[in-house]
Amino acid sequence: MNKPKMASEKGVPSNSSLLMLLDQIERMNGEAMLRDAELARHVTAKILHLIQTQEKSGREIMSKGSGMEVILASLENCRDVQTTLNILYILTELLSVGRGHRVEVFISKGGTGILFQILISASKESPPSVELMLQLHSLLAKVGPKDRRFGVKARLSGALNVTVNLIKQNLQNTKLLLPCLHVLRVYSSNLVNAMSLGKIEGVELMFKIIGPYSKKNTSLLKVALDALGALLKSKTNARRAVDGGYVAVLLALYQDWHRNDTRCRHILIRKGLLVCLRNVTNIKLGRKAFIDADGMRILLNSSTECLPVRTLDPLVNTSSLIMRKCFPKNRLPLPTIKSAFHFQLPHIPAGGPVAQLYSHPPGVDDVVDDSDDNEEAEADTDTENDEDEKDNCMLNDDIETDLNKLYPKRSLCRPFEDLKVYERFFLELSEDFQGYTLKGPKSTNSMPSSASPSSLSASARSPRPVTVPSAQTQPPNDIPIPSSQEDRSSTKGHGTQPSSSALTSTPSPPLTPLDLDNIHLSKGKKEEASSPSDGDRVIEKELVSPFECVSLEEKEDLNADASERVRQEGSPINATRHIQSPLLLGGIPTLRVGSGGSNLGSDCGSEGADEEGGEGAVLEVPDTARLLPLHNPDLYVEMVKETCSVPQYAEVAYPDYFGHVAPTFKEPLLERLYGVQRSKIFQDIERLIHPNDILDKVVYDLDIPNCPLVKDEGESLKFNSQFESGNLRKAIRVRKYEYDLVLNADINSNHYHQWFYFEVSGMRVGVTYRFNIINCEKSNSQFNYGMQVLMYSVQEAISGRPCWVRTGTDICYYKNYFARSSIAAGGQKGKSYYTLTFSTSFSHKDDVCYFAYHYPYTFSTLKMHLSKLEDLRTPQIYLRQDVLCETLGGNHCPLLTITAMPESKSSNHIYQFRNRPLIFLSARVHPGETNASWVMKGTLEFLMGTSTLAASLREAYIFKIVPMLNPDGVINGNHRCSLSGEDLNRQWQSPNPELHPTIYHTKSLLQYLAHIQRAPLVFCDYHGHSRKKNVFMYGCSLKETVWQSNISATSSDLQEDLGYRSLPKILSEIAPAFSMASSSFVVERSKESTARVVVWREIGVQRSYTMESTLCGCDQGKYKGYQIGTRELEEMGAQFCVALLRLKRLIGFRNHQHGWDLDNDVITIPAKTVSSPTTYVMEEDEPSFLEAIDYSAESNDEDAEPENELADEAQENLDQLSD
């Protein structure tokens, strides 16, 4: 019968015979129906016949408003079994047609309650009519899923007992049993009903129905398993099943069906058995019973056999989830989850995170929680490689809804007298330049004396002995060794020159440095309108000029007599300089030469430096200065000596010493192989099943104070992380070529594990090693979407390729079996750590390699770069370096001022100089976001460049730059915090001058500017983003926040200049990596204390931004499909500068046009359109990850999981929300 549309039910003639029969039966209701039962049977039979034979009859009943009411009233008043059956047949026919609307009408008229009344009445008959029970349960099974109060109605009417008793009495009556089980399944969806059914032996009853493999009654068995699975969601019923020994029964049945269902025709039955196991293992007793019944081995073996068949993925997924859930939760193999290092704060605020951290006695800070609360959520479908966007943005409860907080209001709480001390950082605002020669050469002191990085260090601080990298092998005898005096070259970046015999006497022309002056700006779009003036037209022409590719190749080859240089892509240099190693800095012998346990010597378990890294050893240092004008190894060592670290590092990592030359080739996103994560999870499960195969040997441990490198005579790799920005706490060899790695928590903290940077040596060539970082905390990662770790090979560097490269195969990121302490998880129980696993092989014997989360950029590197920036200064550049403050760790926080010198000393030029708009930039408040420093490097190099664009930019603005807001965190290898154990980007509202000095004084600078009516035109804080691609911005907008929150506001309340969108819009046009679609301008409650919001709200800066750069890569533009590198990051920093120049043109053009709002013209957005909705975010100001991952099997957790788990994750990371 065709299903009619509801529209066709209108206009049915009212004089039909069916309606006459309905009128007749309506008049018979009550006593008449009891007196004349035969007539009632006859009328109802005729109605049934008409409905069965005429399609329009059903529409006629539903079209008449009282048709369903008449039938239900007759059913309620009928006492005759046959008449009741006829009416039930009528209802069955009616409700079997349509798309659910008729069922909804039936429910709205009270039909469900009437059915339960008849069921109770019929159950009192002895014996009850089997046919009547069959029809009643068939109708209830059809209606139940649509009725939200079905379970409550069933419980209150007493229908639960009736159905259970009926099942008990008819276990062999398949025809009646099937609808009864359907109804029981609907009953059990209500948790209270499930508990009630368990008390009347509903669970035991289901186990009497399900049985071993059989080709008969498979539909019945499927429904019984669904009902049992629903019953076992109740923990009480799950305990009852465990006590009855039914876990072993379920495993035996699953084995039987798996073994016999060779053609995979009964996947739903096998899945039903697994769902029952999944639910019963939600309790601790169930997990123990599962382990005792050898469930891990059974499911692992069956899942392994199912892997080749993709249609069996639902079984593998559910099996994987059960095994992971039942895997015994372990605590991390650490004596304490607190950081291995401790820093004593000047004072510990009561109730703060550090006070809470140290209020717990030893041994209770990492307690494994065995409760049954907050169990892992399940996801039954495999969503691997499924990156469909799931937009839960509109459900964001974090959006600020208080209009009073959304209006930017300058809140200058500090009196101006307190802020006057900061006047010394703004000498350019009062400088008259009368004592300077503006056009003279650099040596004529055309600038106020600026503080070099050496002066940024404490003058009284004595340099520490620092171990620099040494050679692995002895040099050829014919290579002369420079004198020690040459080794100790000037700290101004001159470096040790190559010996005359190492190269020919003809000097090589210098290589072209990385040039950020010329950058791609148009992204293939139309050019900007020309500016009013002729001079501006020249600049504008440059603004839209095509990108000149930067080549790292030499412009001229070295003399052929020097050496035959092998040119290959990504290997731009082979010229090396030879220096004697080790360098005895400050006359103090080094404690350790080379790397941890490598052939370079060690103070821990090695024979000493005399064998291979001794006095006569020569290190071939690649001459990276030829391509990296801002890098000098000797100067870097001097900077390290002046850097204060909590562990008092005395070593220098090779990559930081040699430097990094960006490869000329692009590195594509790694394609994710199907099933890779599942295979890794199964390998973890094999550890439990075959414990004797696990070596479990500690090879590196920072908790051993004086000797972290554990002596090992075997073939173990050797690890080290005792250098600036290093982070690796422990390394455990678990299999021959597999290692578990544990990261160190941020100092004065017990969490924030994500950043890593460590050294590996002692490897074998051609062997694939697997590394598992087992205590990551974020619930998702771009490592699941093509991101790779970074590796730096010393052998490659010596061979002329000193660069970080993306590496690793079989990369995945998943929840593991190491339990997070509720103390470290904000009080939540049942949380787990996550594993980042990757495999790699090594190409060189006796190599020393480094692995990092992202391209490292240390504080000493910054100081070296700032020192080298001095060399780029021309007489036309105003550059001043100040010490903003001293950090908790005793390091100096640099503050830069960059602009153009005035054209002359005339009052007009001086006035123009002083009144240039200010741009305030900052970066690296989160130490683990190293990409922010590379973007800042690009910005600084562009500002100090010689191009017309750079000169115009300096003439347009005064730049105040704090390039590293958290030096202590960077130095000590933290991921997010400073030495105070707090996220500094959560302290902007009320920074403490002792605990948060860099934030306190940076905010004071901005408050001073606001007081003197010189608030910056733009404030931008550079950040990195770990779970999104591209580069994008977060800003602050009253209108867009109101639109997203749906709060009521009048148009007068929403007056706002759209200028905040102009800078991101410009970037979207000129920067290939920038994505306007990923940007957001919504203000959230959790961000009230971030730099972006505080500067917008309190300082009154409309264009206050966070610029986020991906750690992974891009999914749009010309970089689509590629991982991001330092070249692209530095380019982004330069493009930000050009966008500022365009912004200046726009603002000037707007003013020239007497108030024409060119910002709005450039934006061209329709009303109430938001480019990218802001979502409830976790950890790094990260909107909800938009690429679905199923962590239950292939990758489950963030967006593929049910809402309750999302809520748990949101609550778990509430204190970590940030820009």
Side-chain angles (χ1 to χ4, degrees):
M1 182 182 296
N2 296 328
K3 296 181 178 180
K5 296 182 179 179
M6 293 307 299
S8 65
E9 297 178 0
K10 297 179 179 180
V12 178
S14 60
N15 57 352
S16 70
S17 58
L18 179 62
L19 298 185
M20 294 173 61
L21 291 172
L22 285 176
D23 291 338
Q24 185 177 359
I25 197 173
E26 184 178 10
R27 292 192 298 270
M28 293 177 60
N29 276 341
E31 296 295 330
M33 183 169 286
L34 294 177
R35 290 194 306 267
D36 198 350
E38 190 63 33
L39 180 59
R41 292 177 193 170
H42 176 71
V43 173
T44 53
K46 288 187 69 174
I47 296 174
L48 175 62
H49 176 72
L50 287 174
I51 292 176
Q52 290 175 335
T53 57
Q54 298 181 19
E55 182 179 346
K56 67 176 183 179
S57 299
R59 296 198 298 269
E60 291 176 6
I61 293 177
M62 299 305 298
S63 65
K64 184 178 180 182
S66 60
M68 180 64 74
E69 294 179 2
V70 171
I71 293 175
L72 290 177
S74 301
L75 180 62
E76 187 175 15
N77 295 325
C78 181
R79 297 295 181 265
D80 179 65
V81 174
Q82 187 58 49
T83 304
T84 302
L85 283 172
N86 288 345
I87 298 175
L88 292 177
Y89 294 146
I90 292 171
L91 290 171
T92 300
E93 292 291 334
L94 288 174
L95 301 184
S96 298
V97 180
R99 300 179 179 177
H101 175 72
R102 295 184 178 184
V103 175
E104 293 172 358
V105 172
F106 174 85
I107 295 170
S108 67
K109 302 297 184 182
T112 308
I114 295 173
L115 290 181
F116 282 133
Q117 291 176 19
I118 298 174
L119 179 65
I120 299 301
S121 300
S123 67
K124 296 177 181 178
E125 300 293 331
S126 183
S129 170
V130 175
E131 182 64 19
L132 183 59
M133 289 296 185
L134 175 62
Q135 292 303 317
L136 282 169
H137 281 87
S138 297
L139 268 175
L140 288 170
K142 189 182 298 293
V143 172
K146 297 283 187 178
D147 191 344
R148 294 182 178 180
R149 294 184 55 81
F150 186 81
V152 177
K153 294 174 183 177
R155 184 170 65 253
L156 296 178
S157 65
L160 301 183
N161 288 324
V162 174
T163 302
V164 170
N165 291 332
L166 194 63
I167 294 174
K168 290 179 180 179
Q169 297 165 9
N170 295 273
L171 289 175
Q172 304 305 319
N173 187 346
T174 305
K175 185 178 179 181
L176 176 59
L177 199 56
L178 187 58
C180 290
L181 289 173
H182 274 294
V183 175
L184 187 68
R185 179 180 59 182
V186 183
Y187 288 165
S188 303
S189 62
N190 181 289
L191 188 60
V192 178
N193 285 353
M195 296 173 62
S196 300
L197 290 169
K199 294 177 181 178
I200 56 178
E201 299 182 346
V203 174
E204 292 81 357
L205 185 60
M206 292 301 100
F207 278 102
K208 293 180 181 179
I209 299 173
I210 62 176
Y213 175 80
S214 173
K215 295 182 180 180
K216 298 179 180 180
N217 300 325
T218 53
S219 297
L220 181 71
L221 184 56
K222 171 64 177 68
V223 178
L225 286 170
D226 289 345
L228 179 59
L231 286 169
L232 292 176
K233 286 184 178 180
S234 162
K235 293 181 181 179
T236 303
N237 290 341
R239 294 188 191 97
R240 186 173 284 108
V242 172
D243 295 339
Y246 290 120
V247 174
V249 173
L250 288 170
L251 285 168
L253 289 174
Y254 181 74
Q255 265 189 306
D256 183 64
W257 280 89
H258 171 76
R259 185 167 48 249
N260 292 286
D261 185 26
T262 55
R263 296 189 178 183
C264 303
R265 294 179 176 177
H266 304 294
I267 296 177
L268 293 178
I269 292 177
R270 294 158 66 180
K271 177 68 180 296
L273 288 165
L274 288 175
V275 168
C276 293
L277 283 169
R278 182 191 66 187
N279 292 342
V280 80
T281 52
N282 279 338
I283 63 171
K284 183 168 60 175
L285 289 175
R287 294 191 287 271
K288 183 178 183 302
F290 179 84
I291 295 291
D292 294 342
D294 203 18
M296 298 291 280
R297 183 188 59 81
I298 292 172
L299 291 193
L300 179 62
N301 292 341
S302 63
S303 298
T304 304
E305 294 171 5
C306 292
L307 281 176
V309 185
R310 291 287 290 268
T311 56
L312 298 180
D313 278 353
L315 303 182
V316 179
N317 293 346
T318 310
S319 298
S320 173
L321 184 142
I322 295 169
M323 289 186 286
R324 294 175 63 191
K325 189 191 314 182
C326 294
F327 204 113
K329 292 289 184 182
N330 296 330
R331 68 189 302 272
L332 288 173
L334 298 173
T336 173
I337 58 173
K338 292 193 288 283
S339 173
F341 308 125
H342 173 67
F343 178 80
Q344 184 62 46
L345 297 176
H347 73 274
I348 301 177
V354 178
Q356 297 176 9
L357 179 68
Y358 291 100
S359 64
H360 302 287
V364 299
D365 67 335
D366 189 16
V367 180
V368 176
D369 172 58
D370 292 326
S371 72
D372 294 325
D373 299 328
N374 294 326
E375 294 298 336
E376 290 183 358
E378 304 89 11
D380 296 340
T381 57
D382 177 22
T383 58
E384 185 183 43
N385 291 331
D386 177 13
E387 299 186 0
D388 295 335
E389 295 189 354
K390 299 186 177 181
D391 190 1
N392 297 320
C393 311
M394 304 310 293
L395 301 178
N396 187 354
D397 295 330
D398 190 37
I399 296 178
E400 181 59 71
T401 57
D402 186 349
L403 281 177
N404 292 325
K405 293 184 177 180
L406 288 176
Y407 292 114
K409 296 179 181 179
R410 292 186 180 180
S411 177
L412 305 176
C413 302
R414 299 178 62 188
F416 186 60
E417 294 299 321
D418 292 348
L419 295 172
K420 272 189 174 180
V421 66
Y422 294 96
E423 184 177 4
R424 64 189 178 92
F425 294 108
F426 297 96
L427 299 178
E428 66 279 0
L429 301 183
S430 58
E431 182 63 68
D432 58 11
F433 294 95
Q434 296 307 311
Y436 299 94
T437 304
L438 296 180
K439 297 289 186 178
K442 185 184 288 189
S443 59
T444 61
N445 193 22
S446 62
M447 269 289 302
S449 60
S450 59
S452 67
S454 59
S455 65
L456 292 177
S457 303
S459 58
R461 186 181 304 157
S462 60
R464 296 180 291 104
V466 177
T467 304
V468 297
S470 63
Q472 284 188 232
T473 57
Q474 294 289 344
N477 294 330
D478 59 342
I479 298 180
I481 298 175
S483 66
S484 59
Q485 185 174 359
E486 290 175 334
D487 291 338
R488 301 184 185 93
S489 59
S490 167
T491 62
K492 293 304 291 180
H494 299 295
T496 305
Q497 300 298 322
S499 60
S500 58
S501 62
L503 300 175
T504 61
S505 58
T506 303
S508 303
L511 295 178
T512 304
L514 186 63
D515 183 9
L516 294 174
D517 288 347
N518 299 310
I519 59 176
H520 183 70
L521 300 175
S522 64
K523 294 183 76 170
K525 298 184 180 180
K526 62 181 180 180
E527 297 183 359
E528 288 283 317
S530 60
S531 303
S533 67
D534 293 337
D536 285 345
R537 288 193 186 98
V538 176
I539 303 301
E540 199 66 28
K541 184 176 180 180
E542 290 197 33
L543 284 172
V544 296
S545 62
F547 174 65
E548 298 179 9
C549 296
V550 179
S551 173
L552 295 184
E553 300 292 339
E554 293 186 20
K555 288 187 176 179
E556 299 180 32
D557 291 336
L558 292 173
N559 189 294
D561 296 334
S563 61
E564 292 296 325
R565 303 189 65 221
V566 180
R567 291 182 175 272
Q568 50 185 305
E569 188 178 30
S571 308
I573 58 175
N574 278 306
T576 61
R577 56 187 183 138
H578 303 277
I579 65 172
Q580 185 175 358
S581 182
L583 298 180
L584 303 182
L585 302 174
I588 302 176
T590 58
L591 297 176
R592 179 178 176 276
V593 179
S595 60
S598 70
N599 291 336
L600 309 184
S602 170
D603 66 333
C604 186
S606 72
E607 294 297 325
D610 293 336
E611 289 189 13
E612 297 177 350
E615 188 70 26
V618 170
L619 173 64
E620 295 185 351
V621 181
D623 193 8
T624 55
R626 298 167 62 84
L627 295 180
L628 297 175
L630 297 189
H631 184 87
N632 181 283
D634 305 309
L635 179 58
Y636 181 79
V637 172
E638 294 300 320
M639 297 299 105
V640 172
K641 289 160 60 177
E642 299 167 353
T643 299
C644 299
S645 62
V646 173
Q648 298 184 344
Y649 291 134
E651 303 174 20
V652 177
Y654 281 97
D656 305 322
Y657 181 71
F658 288 166
H660 161 71
V661 178
T664 57
F665 54 88
K666 296 179 181 178
E667 297 172 290
L669 294 167
L670 181 68
E671 183 178 355
R672 179 185 172 91
L673 300 177
Y674 187 87
V676 60
Q677 186 161 0
R678 198 158 46 194
S679 66
K680 300 299 181 184
I681 293 170
F682 286 176
Q683 290 176 26
D684 288 348
I685 293 170
E686 288 176 355
R687 295 191 188 189
L688 180 70
I689 301 174
H690 307 293
N692 294 332
D693 295 342
I694 303 304
L695 301 176
D696 198 26
K697 178 175 178 55
V698 178
V699 296
Y700 181 75
D701 191 354
L702 276 184
D703 291 296
I704 302 176
N706 299 320
C707 191
L709 182 65
V710 179
K711 188 173 182 179
D712 180 27
E713 302 298 335
E715 299 179 346
S716 296
L717 294 176
K718 297 170 179 60
F719 296 84
N720 178 42
S721 61
Q722 297 184 88
F723 44 81
E724 187 174 347
S725 293
N727 190 317
L728 177 67
R729 181 169 184 171
K730 194 169 189 175
I732 305 170
R733 189 183 186 192
V734 292
R735 294 185 176 98
K736 187 174 183 180
Y737 300 118
E738 181 178 354
Y739 295 82
D740 280 354
L741 309 179
V742 184
L743 304 182
N744 193 25
D746 286 4
I747 292 177
N748 279 328
S749 173
N750 56 13
H751 54 306
Y752 299 115
H753 309 91
Q754 206 77 19
W755 165 259
F756 58 87
Y757 182 19
F758 58 88
E759 171 194 297
V760 175
S761 60
M763 65 283 291
R764 296 179 60 181
V765 177
V767 171
T768 299
Y769 291 88
R770 175 182 172 186
F771 299 98
N772 310 309
I773 300 176
I774 62 174
N775 63 330
C776 299
E777 293 181 0
K778 294 191 176 182
S779 57
N780 209 339
S781 171
Q782 282 288 325
F783 284 116
N784 278 328
Y785 303 109
M787 178 174 161
Q788 294 175 282
V789 299
L790 285 152
M791 186 179 78
Y792 191 104
S793 166
V794 174
Q795 290 280 18
E796 287 291 309
I798 292 175
S799 300
R801 294 175 291 276
C803 60
W804 287 96
V805 294
R806 301 280 185 172
T807 190
T809 58
D810 293 347
I811 299 178
C812 51
Y813 187 95
Y814 59 92
K815 188 178 292 185
N816 61 30
Y817 51 87
F818 288 104
R820 285 189 68 186
S821 168
S822 59
I823 297 173
Q828 292 192 75
K829 297 181 179 180
K831 295 300 174 183
S832 298
Y833 287 102
Y834 292 80
T835 290
L836 163 63
T837 180
F838 64 94
S839 299
T840 191
S841 57
F842 301 96
S843 303
H844 302 285
K845 183 181 179 182
D846 297 330
D847 199 358
V848 178
C849 293
Y850 292 78
F851 292 96
Y853 182 59
H854 197 66
Y855 300 94
Y857 191 101
T858 66
F859 181 57
S860 297
T861 299
L862 172 67
K863 293 192 294 182
M864 175 189 66
H865 284 163
L866 295 184
S867 176
K868 299 291 285 183
L869 279 175
E870 293 278 353
D871 299 335
L872 301 181
R873 178 167 54 83
T874 65
Q876 290 74 37
I877 298 177
Y878 183 103
L879 169 66
R880 190 177 72 251
Q881 294 188 36
D882 296 303
V883 177
L884 176 62
C885 62
E886 186 173 278
T887 66
L888 281 172
N891 297 286
H892 287 160
C893 179
L895 169 67
L896 304 182
T897 303
I898 301 176
T899 187
M901 296 289 286
E903 294 184 24
S904 70
K905 298 178 183 179
S906 68
S907 58
N908 185 40
H909 287 154
I910 297 298
Y911 176 82
Q912 292 177 356
F913 173 86
R914 293 177 181 177
N915 285 276
R916 291 169 184 166
L918 278 91
I919 305 293
F920 204 108
L921 306 178
S922 61
R924 207 65 185 282
V925 70
H926 295 144
E929 298 168 6
T930 58
N931 46 357
S933 284
W934 289 99
V935 176
M936 179 60 74
K937 180 175 181 287
T939 295
L940 292 174
E941 290 188 34
F942 184 89
L943 285 175
M944 295 298 296
T946 57
S947 69
T948 307
L949 289 178
S952 299
L953 188 64
R954 292 190 296 267
E955 292 170 0
Y957 299 111
I958 296 174
F959 286 86
K960 307 296 287 191
I961 302 175
V962 184
M964 192 170 285
L965 280 168
N966 192 352
D968 291 342
V970 172
I971 293 165
N972 293 286
N974 285 5
H975 174 66
R976 194 167 187 84
C977 298
S978 69
L979 294 184
S980 68
E982 297 169 295
D983 181 350
L984 290 183
N985 206 34
R986 283 293 175 276
Q987 313 303 323
W988 278 80
Q989 276 187 326
S990 302
N992 184 298
E994 288 187 316
L995 297 179
H996 324 119
T998 59
I999 304 301
Y1000 178 84
H1001 293 291
T1002 302
K1003 183 178 180 180
S1004 297
L1005 294 178
L1006 292 161
Q1007 289 176 322
Y1008 172 80
L1009 289 173
H1011 263 295
I1012 64 172
Q1013 305 299 313
R1014 294 295 301 275
L1017 176 69
V1018 173
F1019 171 86
C1020 190
D1021 191 19
Y1022 292 0
H1023 281 250
H1025 206 292
S1026 68
R1027 293 191 295 183
K1028 288 185 68 177
K1029 292 183 172 68
N1030 309 315
V1031 181
F1032 50 94
M1033 274 184 164
Y1034 293 131
C1036 301
S1037 166
L1038 167 66
K1039 281 186 177 180
E1040 298 196 25
T1041 304
V1042 170
W1043 292 342
Q1044 294 255 354
S1045 61
N1046 295 321
I1047 61 178
S1048 60
T1050 64
S1051 58
S1052 60
D1053 293 331
L1054 301 180
Q1055 294 299 321
E1056 182 175 46
D1057 183 0
L1058 290 178
Y1060 66 88
R1061 274 182 166 264
S1062 54
L1063 184 60
K1065 181 66 176 179
I1066 293 170
L1067 281 171
S1068 70
E1069 294 176 347
I1070 69 174
F1074 191 87
S1075 170
M1076 189 68 176
S1078 298
S1079 301
S1080 174
F1081 306 91
V1082 176
V1083 179
E1084 294 168 313
R1085 296 189 188 97
S1086 59
K1087 311 297 173 52
E1088 289 182 349
S1089 57
T1090 61
R1092 165 175 59 100
V1093 178
V1094 170
V1095 172
W1096 172 70
R1097 180 178 293 163
E1098 298 185 15
I1099 309 300
V1101 178
Q1102 180 196 28
R1103 296 178 177 88
S1104 179
Y1105 306 105
T1106 296
M1107 187 165 74
E1108 301 272 2
S1109 301
T1110 179
L1111 292 167
C1112 177
C1114 298
D1115 59 11
Q1116 51 95 55
K1118 75 173 185 178
Y1119 297 138
K1120 180 178 181 180
Y1122 293 100
Q1123 298 183 75
I1124 202 162
T1126 56
R1127 181 185 300 274
E1128 292 75 32
L1129 292 170
E1130 291 184 53
E1131 178 190 82
M1132 188 65 232
Q1135 286 160 336
F1136 182 83
C1137 292
V1138 176
L1140 290 174
L1141 192 55
R1142 280 199 175 186
L1143 179 67
K1144 177 69 173 178
R1145 303 275 183 265
L1146 290 176
I1147 296 174
F1149 194 29
R1150 180 181 61 188
N1151 295 336
H1152 183 75
Q1153 295 294 330
H1154 305 290
W1156 177 35
D1157 192 351
L1158 190 62
D1159 282 345
N1160 292 348
D1161 183 64
V1162 169
I1163 296 163
T1164 62
I1165 59 169
K1168 303 205 81 171
T1169 297
V1170 182
S1171 64
S1172 175
T1174 298
T1175 64
Y1176 194 75
V1177 298
M1178 303 177 207
E1179 297 175 356
E1180 292 184 347
D1181 195 16
E1182 298 176 0
S1184 197
F1185 197 70
L1186 300 181
E1187 298 166 303
I1189 295 244
D1190 176 10
Y1191 274 79
S1192 66
E1194 284 311 307
S1195 41
N1196 134 26
D1197 199 329
E1198 183 110 299
D1199 291 296
E1201 61 192 4
E1203 292 181 3
N1204 62 333
E1205 184 70 8
L1206 276 175
D1208 288 345
E1209 291 293 345
Q1211 182 62 33
E1212 172 188 0
N1213 298 295
L1214 188 58
D1215 62 326
Q1216 301 179 33
L1217 299 170
S1218 83
D1219 280 17

